[in-house]
Amino acid sequence: MAIREVLKMGDPRLLTPALPVEDFASSRLAQLIIDMHDTMRALNGAGLAAPQIGVGLQVVIFEAGSNPRYPEAGSVPFTVLINPLLTPLSDELEEGWEGCLSVPGMRGLVPRHTALRYQGFDAAGQSIDRSVSAFHARVVQHEVDHLRGILYPMRIRDLRQFGFTDTLFPGQNLQDD
Ligand code: NI
């Protein structure tokens, strides 16, 4: 078990597109997923992408439901998603507040597709194919963006809707994402 350092915005590794995983049986992949899980849990995040800990592979993890910081989120099961493909199921976009462990202490209002299908593979190389909406769709889009070198501030349409969490939401005691 290892909690890894999360890179912060400004590090060029966060802007580099990640490469597909080719060897699902490698111990290196298994260790990466363990480290990502331990790091996300330690920081109480809803998701984490491999490039955030400096590994340029198409691996993301996410989970929400029991997370006290996302009481409205509904239930998103702990998921390891490798080599993801996203297909929007609606042209409709919805604005929602996001944060990111790589942009600590800040939140911004980000448009995302309200519903999408995601396909890919789990840690054992078994295929995943889910159609989701609402917060589940949002968190997947946020994490998969990391694999393309996109951080959520790059998607904010009105930069007046971007700021420090404790100023935007005083008294709510929200932690970093
Ligand atoms: Ni993020």
Side-chain angles (χ1 to χ4, degrees), residues 47 52 99-102 142-143 146 151-152:
Q52 291 182 275
C100 180
L101 292 171
S102 294
H142 177 114
E143 297 311 326
H146 278 294
L151 299 168
Y152 82 82

Side-chain angles (χ1 to χ4, degrees), residues 52-109:
Q52 291 182 275
I53 58 168
V55 176
L57 290 173
Q58 293 179 13
V59 180
V60 302
I61 63 172
F62 47 87
E63 123 184 283
S66 56
N67 192 323
R69 285 166 34 222
Y70 298 99
E72 79 292 359
S75 182
V76 180
F78 177 76
T79 300
V80 177
L81 180 63
I82 299 171
N83 299 351
L85 172 68
L86 303 190
T87 309
L89 296 176
S90 160
D91 290 333
E92 186 187 350
L93 298 174
E94 183 175 64
E95 303 263 4
W97 289 99
E98 295 186 14
C100 180
L101 292 171
S102 294
V103 192
M106 305 198 78
R107 296 222 166 181
L109 202 56

